[in-house]
Amino acid sequence: MANSAQAKKRARQAEVHRQRNASQRSAMRTKIKALRKAIVAGDKEQAVVAFQAAVPVLDRMARKGIIHKNTAARGKSRLNNAVRAM
């Protein structure tokens, strides 16, 4: 356990950051899951709308450092290919 005041503060900050990151990562996964659900259902209009909602979320997560920028780019590419293949 942290002994110094500085270490205690860093532990508090780390917990706040961990919870925020987990929440944002969960929201990102929810958007992707909605898109995949529309793709499986074969609803192209719904898939396009879901894709347009998921892309900014992926970009934001990459910009904030929650996921790597190449991971976001790869995910967007694969999701876009899936939507276009419908």
Side-chain angles (χ1 to χ4, degrees), residues 10 12-22:
R10 290 303 295 164
R12 287 194 309 268
Q13 289 176 332
E15 179 60 20
V16 169
H17 294 153
R18 184 191 69 78
Q19 288 181 354
R20 183 179 302 126
N21 289 342

Side-chain angles (χ1 to χ4, degrees), residues 10-77:
R10 290 303 295 164
R12 287 194 309 268
Q13 289 176 332
E15 179 60 20
V16 169
H17 294 153
R18 184 191 69 78
Q19 288 181 354
R20 183 179 302 126
N21 289 342
S23 173
Q24 292 177 343
R25 193 176 301 116
S26 175
M28 175 188 69
R29 289 176 178 156
T30 301
K31 293 285 187 187
I32 293 170
K33 196 180 294 185
L35 173 53
R36 290 200 175 121
K37 188 175 179 182
I39 291 169
V40 169
D43 188 355
K44 181 144 184 163
E45 290 99 24
Q46 184 74 19
V48 170
V49 169
F51 179 74
Q52 290 172 345
V55 167
V57 174
L58 283 165
D59 288 335
R60 195 174 314 120
M61 296 303 104
R63 191 169 58 245
K64 290 176 182 253
I66 294 173
I67 60 173
H68 193 274
K69 66 176 187 174
N70 291 352
T71 304
R74 183 175 62 245
K76 290 189 299 186
S77 175

